[in-house]
Amino acid sequence: MTNEYLNNPEYSSGVAAFEEKNFSLAMQYLSPLADAGDADAQHRVAIMCQNGLGVVRNEVRAYKMMLAAAEQGYAIAQHGIGFMYLEGDCVEQDSAKAAEWFRKAADQGLAGSLTTLALMYEQGNGVEKDPAMAKKLYAEAGFEF
């Protein structure tokens, strides 16, 4: 991820506020950066909108922001949008689309996505059941058998 805002005081203040769970202040700082296209800010704004943290829950904005960050290749947002599709949260449930997004994050080495995708292959949820693929993905995530 390239983040042109790393030296931006608004970005730093927004991230600090987010980490301190001062979500209304985080939203004030991060929302303009998210609207300007920063993937990390988009991901954080999506989380706040999805969960009603510092703002009224806004499923449309949560999905829009998570998708924008995911489409930029931001792995944690790809994981997040995968869960939105898997759970039907902020978007219509679609296990096949969930698997596609988890694959993108897994391809970047995100252990949580590797594990979730492995479980999906194990269960045949959104993908064809494939115990060998499940075992391979679990191994990539660091699980030993």
Side-chain angles (χ1 to χ4, degrees):
M1 175 193 99
T2 59
N3 189 323
E4 62 198 74
Y5 298 105
L6 285 177
N7 295 320
N8 180 319
E10 285 78 20
Y11 176 79
S12 300
S13 296
V15 170
F18 185 92
E19 297 299 327
E20 293 166 4
K21 298 182 177 24
N22 186 344
F23 297 114
S24 57
L25 184 61
M27 185 63 83
Q28 289 175 24
Y29 283 119
L30 295 175
S31 190
L33 301 175
D35 291 337
D38 179 73
D40 183 66
Q42 289 169 334
H43 176 248
R44 292 172 191 268
V45 166
I47 290 170
M48 291 185 282
C49 289
Q50 181 181 11
N51 296 291
L53 303 171
V55 294
V56 174
R57 179 172 158 88
N58 183 335
E59 293 184 1
V60 172
R61 183 157 167 79
Y63 176 76
K64 179 183 171 191
M65 288 286 113
M66 193 70 78
L67 181 62
E71 287 177 338
Q72 290 187 64
Y74 194 47
I76 194 73
Q78 292 171 335
H79 184 79
I81 199 109
F83 262 104
M84 284 181 166
Y85 277 112
L86 186 64
E87 301 295 326
D89 187 10
C90 301
V91 66
E92 190 173 326
Q93 196 278 337
D94 186 331
S95 295
K97 280 188 181 178
E100 290 173 22
W101 284 109
F102 287 130
R103 168 54 65 197
K104 290 176 191 231
D107 286 347
Q108 295 187 61
L110 200 64
S113 291
L114 285 161
T115 304
T116 304
L117 194 56
L119 182 62
M120 293 177 81
Y121 275 103
E122 190 173 37
Q123 297 174 343
N125 181 10
V127 293
E128 192 169 323
K129 192 171 187 173
D130 186 339
M133 177 59 81
K135 187 173 182 177
K136 176 182 179 290
L137 292 167
Y138 280 130
E140 284 180 43
F143 292 93
E144 293 185 27
F145 296 93

